[in-house]
Each structure stands twice: as C-alpha cells, then as structure tokens.
Amino acid sequence: MVEKKGKQVEGSKMTFNPDLVFADGLATGDVKYKLSGDSWKRSDLYQAIAFATIYRADDAVIVGFQSGGSGSPGTIGVGD
C-alpha cells in the first residue's frame, strides 16, 4: 500500500509530509518535479532523511526526472 500522509512531531504542531509512504511507514519517498542531475542535491537528500527518520523507516526514495542521457546519483547509505 502506498499513500500520501503526514506525521506530526510529538509535542509540536510541525508535520512532515512525504509524497509517498509505503506500507504504513516501512519506507518513505518524495517526488521532485524538476530535472535531476547525476549527483545528489543536498537539500533533497536531507529532506528524504528527515521523512525516513520521522517514520522510523529503514529506506527512502527520491523520485526525479531526467532529460536524455543524464546519469543517476545512485544509492547512498546514511546512518544505521
């Protein structure tokens, strides 16, 4: 099951709202409606890490778009 749902931080009014929540938080994802390059954009990576952290997910994905022969930034491991 994949859905879009936010999660509120306990003790605050702040919410985190990933575009994709897989299997009730098993993994999270965010769709970037822009062209991606062949290297990580730090702000996108930080956002993906924040979404995974709030859901206590082991995996996160960033979905982007490419033009022509652009390469993918690949897989990166962060934390545990």
Side-chain angles (χ1 to χ4, degrees), residues 1-21:
M1 186 166 120
V2 181
E3 59 187 326
K4 178 178 176 63
K5 70 176 187 177
K7 191 166 189 174
Q8 188 169 356
V9 177
E10 279 188 47
S12 81
K13 293 184 180 192
M14 181 179 287
T15 59
F16 286 77
N17 302 293
D19 294 321
L20 308 165
V21 178

Side-chain angles (χ1 to χ4, degrees), residues 19-45:
D19 294 321
L20 308 165
V21 178
F22 299 90
D24 202 33
L26 182 64
T28 58
D30 200 45
V31 179
K32 299 299 177 188
Y33 298 95
K34 58 187 175 187
L35 291 177
S36 301
D38 59 355
S39 62
W40 287 104
K41 184 170 180 196
R42 192 173 299 266
S43 61
D44 293 345
L45 183 59

Side-chain angles (χ1 to χ4, degrees), residues 36-62:
S36 301
D38 59 355
S39 62
W40 287 104
K41 184 170 180 196
R42 192 173 299 266
S43 61
D44 293 345
L45 183 59
Y46 286 169
Q47 187 178 44
I49 293 167
F51 289 153
T53 300
I54 194 73
Y55 277 90
R56 299 189 188 279
D58 289 333
D59 296 298
V61 63
I62 299 172

